[in-house]
PDB file of all heavy atoms in Angstrom:
ATOM      1  N   GLU N 669       6.242 -69.479 -22.219  1.00 91.00           N
ATOM      2  CA  GLU N 669       5.774 -68.287 -21.533  1.00 91.00           C
ATOM      3  C   GLU N 669       5.370 -68.656 -20.119  1.00 91.00           C
ATOM      4  O   GLU N 669       4.651 -69.607 -19.904  1.00 91.00           O
ATOM      5  CB  GLU N 669       4.575 -67.685 -22.262  1.00 91.00           C
ATOM      6  CG  GLU N 669       5.005 -66.944 -23.506  1.00 91.00           C
ATOM      7  CD  GLU N 669       3.854 -66.160 -24.121  1.00 91.00           C
ATOM      8  OE1 GLU N 669       2.771 -66.153 -23.500  1.00 91.00           O
ATOM      9  OE2 GLU N 669       4.069 -65.587 -25.196  1.00 91.00           O
ATOM     10  N   LEU N 670       5.883 -67.874 -19.161  1.00 93.00           N
ATOM     11  CA  LEU N 670       5.497 -68.110 -17.780  1.00 93.00           C
ATOM     12  C   LEU N 670       4.925 -66.812 -17.214  1.00 93.00           C
ATOM     13  O   LEU N 670       5.495 -65.745 -17.415  1.00 93.00           O
ATOM     14  CB  LEU N 670       6.734 -68.517 -16.952  1.00 93.00           C
ATOM     15  CG  LEU N 670       7.425 -69.828 -17.353  1.00 93.00           C
ATOM     16  CD1 LEU N 670       8.688 -70.021 -16.533  1.00 93.00           C
ATOM     17  CD2 LEU N 670       6.480 -71.027 -17.144  1.00 93.00           C
ATOM     18  N   PRO N 671       3.798 -66.890 -16.515  1.00 93.00           N
ATOM     19  CA  PRO N 671       3.211 -65.676 -15.955  1.00 93.00           C
ATOM     20  C   PRO N 671       3.954 -65.234 -14.705  1.00 93.00           C
ATOM     21  O   PRO N 671       4.512 -66.065 -13.974  1.00 93.00           O
ATOM     22  CB  PRO N 671       1.777 -66.102 -15.624  1.00 93.00           C
ATOM     23  CG  PRO N 671       1.891 -67.561 -15.388  1.00 93.00           C
ATOM     24  CD  PRO N 671       2.984 -68.080 -16.283  1.00 93.00           C
ATOM     25  N   ILE N 672       3.956 -63.944 -14.474  1.00 93.00           N
ATOM     26  CA  ILE N 672       4.483 -63.420 -13.208  1.00 93.00           C
ATOM     27  C   ILE N 672       3.397 -63.624 -12.164  1.00 93.00           C
ATOM     28  O   ILE N 672       2.304 -63.081 -12.312  1.00 93.00           O
ATOM     29  CB  ILE N 672       4.850 -61.931 -13.340  1.00 93.00           C
ATOM     30  CG1 ILE N 672       5.931 -61.758 -14.394  1.00 93.00           C
ATOM     31  CG2 ILE N 672       5.318 -61.369 -11.983  1.00 93.00           C
ATOM     32  CD1 ILE N 672       6.152 -60.330 -14.801  1.00 93.00           C
ATOM     33  N   VAL N 673       3.736 -64.428 -11.141  1.00 93.00           N
ATOM     34  CA  VAL N 673       2.710 -64.734 -10.153  1.00 93.00           C
ATOM     35  C   VAL N 673       2.895 -63.944  -8.878  1.00 93.00           C
ATOM     36  O   VAL N 673       1.979 -63.826  -8.082  1.00 93.00           O
ATOM     37  CB  VAL N 673       2.668 -66.246  -9.843  1.00 93.00           C
ATOM     38  CG1 VAL N 673       2.139 -67.010 -11.042  1.00 93.00           C
ATOM     39  CG2 VAL N 673       4.042 -66.736  -9.428  1.00 93.00           C
ATOM     40  N   ALA N 674       4.105 -63.420  -8.682  1.00 92.00           N
ATOM     41  CA  ALA N 674       4.354 -62.653  -7.452  1.00 92.00           C
ATOM     42  C   ALA N 674       5.560 -61.769  -7.629  1.00 92.00           C
ATOM     43  O   ALA N 674       6.376 -62.007  -8.507  1.00 92.00           O
ATOM     44  CB  ALA N 674       4.548 -63.605  -6.260  1.00 92.00           C
ATOM     45  N   THR N 675       5.651 -60.738  -6.794  1.00 92.00           N
ATOM     46  CA  THR N 675       6.883 -59.915  -6.761  1.00 92.00           C
ATOM     47  C   THR N 675       7.352 -59.851  -5.324  1.00 92.00           C
ATOM     48  O   THR N 675       6.571 -60.020  -4.378  1.00 92.00           O
ATOM     49  CB  THR N 675       6.634 -58.487  -7.269  1.00 92.00           C
ATOM     50  OG1 THR N 675       5.640 -57.873  -6.442  1.00 92.00           O
ATOM     51  CG2 THR N 675       6.189 -58.474  -8.715  1.00 92.00           C
ATOM     52  N   TYR N 676       8.653 -59.608  -5.149  1.00 91.00           N
ATOM     53  CA  TYR N 676       9.208 -59.411  -3.815  1.00 91.00           C
ATOM     54  C   TYR N 676       9.983 -58.107  -3.829  1.00 91.00           C
ATOM     55  O   TYR N 676      10.370 -57.613  -4.890  1.00 91.00           O
ATOM     56  CB  TYR N 676      10.117 -60.594  -3.408  1.00 91.00           C
ATOM     57  CG  TYR N 676      11.307 -60.820  -4.317  1.00 91.00           C
ATOM     58  CD1 TYR N 676      12.555 -60.258  -4.043  1.00 91.00           C
ATOM     59  CD2 TYR N 676      11.183 -61.585  -5.469  1.00 91.00           C
ATOM     60  CE1 TYR N 676      13.628 -60.463  -4.853  1.00 91.00           C
ATOM     61  CE2 TYR N 676      12.256 -61.794  -6.321  1.00 91.00           C
ATOM     62  CZ  TYR N 676      13.479 -61.229  -6.015  1.00 91.00           C
ATOM     63  OH  TYR N 676      14.537 -61.430  -6.846  1.00 91.00           O
ATOM     64  N   ASP N 677      10.227 -57.506  -2.658  1.00 86.00           N
ATOM     65  CA  ASP N 677      10.815 -56.161  -2.735  1.00 86.00           C
ATOM     66  C   ASP N 677      12.209 -56.005  -2.117  1.00 86.00           C
ATOM     67  O   ASP N 677      12.753 -54.928  -2.128  1.00 86.00           O
ATOM     68  CB  ASP N 677       9.857 -55.126  -2.156  1.00 86.00           C
ATOM     69  CG  ASP N 677       9.521 -55.373  -0.702  1.00 86.00           C
ATOM     70  OD1 ASP N 677      10.125 -56.292  -0.120  1.00 86.00           O
ATOM     71  OD2 ASP N 677       8.677 -54.659  -0.159  1.00 86.00           O
ATOM     72  N   LYS N 678      12.787 -57.100  -1.611  1.00 82.00           N
ATOM     73  CA  LYS N 678      14.180 -56.962  -1.148  1.00 82.00           C
ATOM     74  C   LYS N 678      15.111 -57.671  -2.109  1.00 82.00           C
ATOM     75  O   LYS N 678      14.911 -58.856  -2.399  1.00 82.00           O
ATOM     76  CB  LYS N 678      14.339 -57.571   0.267  1.00 82.00           C
ATOM     77  CG  LYS N 678      13.905 -56.591   1.337  1.00 82.00           C
ATOM     78  CD  LYS N 678      14.379 -57.063   2.681  1.00 82.00           C
ATOM     79  CE  LYS N 678      13.842 -56.173   3.782  1.00 82.00           C
ATOM     80  NZ  LYS N 678      14.132 -56.733   5.109  1.00 82.00           N
ATOM     81  N   SER N 679      16.106 -56.945  -2.558  1.00 78.00           N
ATOM     82  CA  SER N 679      16.979 -57.488  -3.593  1.00 78.00           C
ATOM     83  C   SER N 679      17.687 -58.756  -3.125  1.00 78.00           C
ATOM     84  O   SER N 679      18.015 -58.909  -1.951  1.00 78.00           O
ATOM     85  CB  SER N 679      18.022 -56.433  -3.969  1.00 78.00           C
ATOM     86  OG  SER N 679      18.927 -56.976  -4.888  1.00 78.00           O
ATOM     87  N   PHE N 680      17.918 -59.642  -4.053  1.00 74.00           N
ATOM     88  CA  PHE N 680      18.668 -60.870  -3.783  1.00 74.00           C
ATOM     89  C   PHE N 680      19.962 -60.704  -4.562  1.00 74.00           C
ATOM     90  O   PHE N 680      19.997 -60.890  -5.770  1.00 74.00           O
ATOM     91  CB  PHE N 680      17.852 -62.049  -4.299  1.00 74.00           C
ATOM     92  CG  PHE N 680      18.469 -63.393  -4.051  1.00 74.00           C
ATOM     93  CD1 PHE N 680      18.159 -64.121  -2.893  1.00 74.00           C
ATOM     94  CD2 PHE N 680      19.327 -63.979  -4.966  1.00 74.00           C
ATOM     95  CE1 PHE N 680      18.715 -65.366  -2.669  1.00 74.00           C
ATOM     96  CE2 PHE N 680      19.873 -65.241  -4.744  1.00 74.00           C
ATOM     97  CZ  PHE N 680      19.565 -65.935  -3.604  1.00 74.00           C
ATOM     98  N   ALA N 681      21.015 -60.246  -3.869  1.00 61.00           N
ATOM     99  CA  ALA N 681      22.190 -59.715  -4.593  1.00 61.00           C
ATOM    100  C   ALA N 681      23.174 -60.790  -5.027  1.00 61.00           C
ATOM    101  O   ALA N 681      24.349 -60.534  -5.134  1.00 61.00           O
ATOM    102  CB  ALA N 681      22.902 -58.700  -3.712  1.00 61.00           C
ATOM    103  N   ILE N 682      22.687 -62.008  -5.299  1.00 57.00           N
ATOM    104  CA  ILE N 682      23.651 -63.059  -5.641  1.00 57.00           C
ATOM    105  C   ILE N 682      24.057 -63.046  -7.077  1.00 57.00           C
ATOM    106  O   ILE N 682      25.213 -63.255  -7.442  1.00 57.00           O
ATOM    107  CB  ILE N 682      23.109 -64.427  -5.184  1.00 57.00           C
ATOM    108  CG1 ILE N 682      23.313 -64.548  -3.690  1.00 57.00           C
ATOM    109  CG2 ILE N 682      23.819 -65.562  -5.915  1.00 57.00           C
ATOM    110  CD1 ILE N 682      22.832 -65.819  -3.095  1.00 57.00           C
ATOM    111  N   GLY N 683      23.149 -62.765  -7.960  1.00 51.00           N
ATOM    112  CA  GLY N 683      23.461 -62.847  -9.390  1.00 51.00           C
ATOM    113  C   GLY N 683      24.101 -61.583  -9.937  1.00 51.00           C
ATOM    114  O   GLY N 683      24.210 -61.440 -11.145  1.00 51.00           O
ATOM    115  N   GLY N 684      24.497 -60.643  -9.090  1.00 62.00           N
ATOM    116  CA  GLY N 684      25.061 -59.405  -9.584  1.00 62.00           C
ATOM    117  C   GLY N 684      23.980 -58.656 -10.349  1.00 62.00           C
ATOM    118  O   GLY N 684      22.850 -58.557  -9.867  1.00 62.00           O
ATOM    119  N   ASP N 685      24.269 -58.196 -11.549  1.00 70.00           N
ATOM    120  CA  ASP N 685      23.215 -57.462 -12.247  1.00 70.00           C
ATOM    121  C   ASP N 685      22.455 -58.356 -13.213  1.00 70.00           C
ATOM    122  O   ASP N 685      21.682 -57.892 -14.017  1.00 70.00           O
ATOM    123  CB  ASP N 685      23.760 -56.193 -12.885  1.00 70.00           C
ATOM    124  CG  ASP N 685      24.618 -56.463 -14.081  1.00 70.00           C
ATOM    125  OD1 ASP N 685      24.985 -57.641 -14.265  1.00 70.00           O
ATOM    126  OD2 ASP N 685      24.908 -55.511 -14.820  1.00 70.00           O
ATOM    127  N   THR N 686      22.675 -59.685 -13.124  1.00 79.00           N
ATOM    128  CA  THR N 686      21.876 -60.583 -13.945  1.00 79.00           C
ATOM    129  C   THR N 686      20.495 -60.730 -13.292  1.00 79.00           C
ATOM    130  O   THR N 686      20.410 -61.085 -12.113  1.00 79.00           O
ATOM    131  CB  THR N 686      22.534 -61.979 -14.042  1.00 79.00           C
ATOM    132  OG1 THR N 686      23.892 -61.786 -14.383  1.00 79.00           O
ATOM    133  CG2 THR N 686      21.873 -62.834 -15.062  1.00 79.00           C
ATOM    134  N   PRO N 687      19.433 -60.478 -14.038  1.00 85.00           N
ATOM    135  CA  PRO N 687      18.093 -60.604 -13.428  1.00 85.00           C
ATOM    136  C   PRO N 687      17.818 -62.044 -12.988  1.00 85.00           C
ATOM    137  O   PRO N 687      18.292 -62.982 -13.612  1.00 85.00           O
ATOM    138  CB  PRO N 687      17.154 -60.186 -14.538  1.00 85.00           C
ATOM    139  CG  PRO N 687      17.992 -59.526 -15.570  1.00 85.00           C
ATOM    140  CD  PRO N 687      19.371 -60.042 -15.426  1.00 85.00           C
ATOM    141  N   LEU N 688      17.077 -62.126 -11.916  1.00 88.00           N
ATOM    142  CA  LEU N 688      16.809 -63.433 -11.320  1.00 88.00           C
ATOM    143  C   LEU N 688      15.320 -63.730 -11.407  1.00 88.00           C
ATOM    144  O   LEU N 688      14.497 -62.863 -11.092  1.00 88.00           O
ATOM    145  CB  LEU N 688      17.258 -63.347  -9.861  1.00 88.00           C
ATOM    146  CG  LEU N 688      17.561 -64.612  -9.133  1.00 88.00           C
ATOM    147  CD1 LEU N 688      18.668 -65.376  -9.812  1.00 88.00           C
ATOM    148  CD2 LEU N 688      17.979 -64.277  -7.715  1.00 88.00           C
ATOM    149  N   TYR N 689      14.987 -64.926 -11.844  1.00 92.00           N
ATOM    150  CA  TYR N 689      13.583 -65.344 -11.918  1.00 92.00           C
ATOM    151  C   TYR N 689      13.416 -66.573 -11.035  1.00 92.00           C
ATOM    152  O   TYR N 689      13.966 -67.627 -11.310  1.00 92.00           O
ATOM    153  CB  TYR N 689      13.207 -65.665 -13.367  1.00 92.00           C
ATOM    154  CG  TYR N 689      13.201 -64.447 -14.253  1.00 92.00           C
ATOM    155  CD1 TYR N 689      14.379 -63.898 -14.742  1.00 92.00           C
ATOM    156  CD2 TYR N 689      12.000 -63.815 -14.580  1.00 92.00           C
ATOM    157  CE1 TYR N 689      14.379 -62.771 -15.534  1.00 92.00           C
ATOM    158  CE2 TYR N 689      11.986 -62.690 -15.371  1.00 92.00           C
ATOM    159  CZ  TYR N 689      13.163 -62.158 -15.852  1.00 92.00           C
ATOM    160  OH  TYR N 689      13.157 -61.024 -16.627  1.00 92.00           O
ATOM    161  N   PHE N 690      12.646 -66.384  -9.934  1.00 93.00           N
ATOM    162  CA  PHE N 690      12.400 -67.504  -9.026  1.00 93.00           C
ATOM    163  C   PHE N 690      11.262 -68.342  -9.570  1.00 93.00           C
ATOM    164  O   PHE N 690      10.299 -67.808 -10.130  1.00 93.00           O
ATOM    165  CB  PHE N 690      12.010 -66.982  -7.640  1.00 93.00           C
ATOM    166  CG  PHE N 690      13.186 -66.531  -6.826  1.00 93.00           C
ATOM    167  CD1 PHE N 690      13.473 -65.186  -6.708  1.00 93.00           C
ATOM    168  CD2 PHE N 690      14.003 -67.452  -6.189  1.00 93.00           C
ATOM    169  CE1 PHE N 690      14.558 -64.751  -5.951  1.00 93.00           C
ATOM    170  CE2 PHE N 690      15.084 -67.030  -5.426  1.00 93.00           C
ATOM    171  CZ  PHE N 690      15.359 -65.688  -5.311  1.00 93.00           C
TER     172      PHE N 690
END
Side-chain angles (χ1 to χ4, degrees):
Chain N
E669 284 189 5
L670 297 175
I672 299 168
V673 291
T675 59
Y676 60 94
D677 61 5
K678 277 194 185 171
S679 175
F680 182 92
I682 282 180
D685 72 347
T686 311
L688 201 59
Y689 292 79
F690 281 102

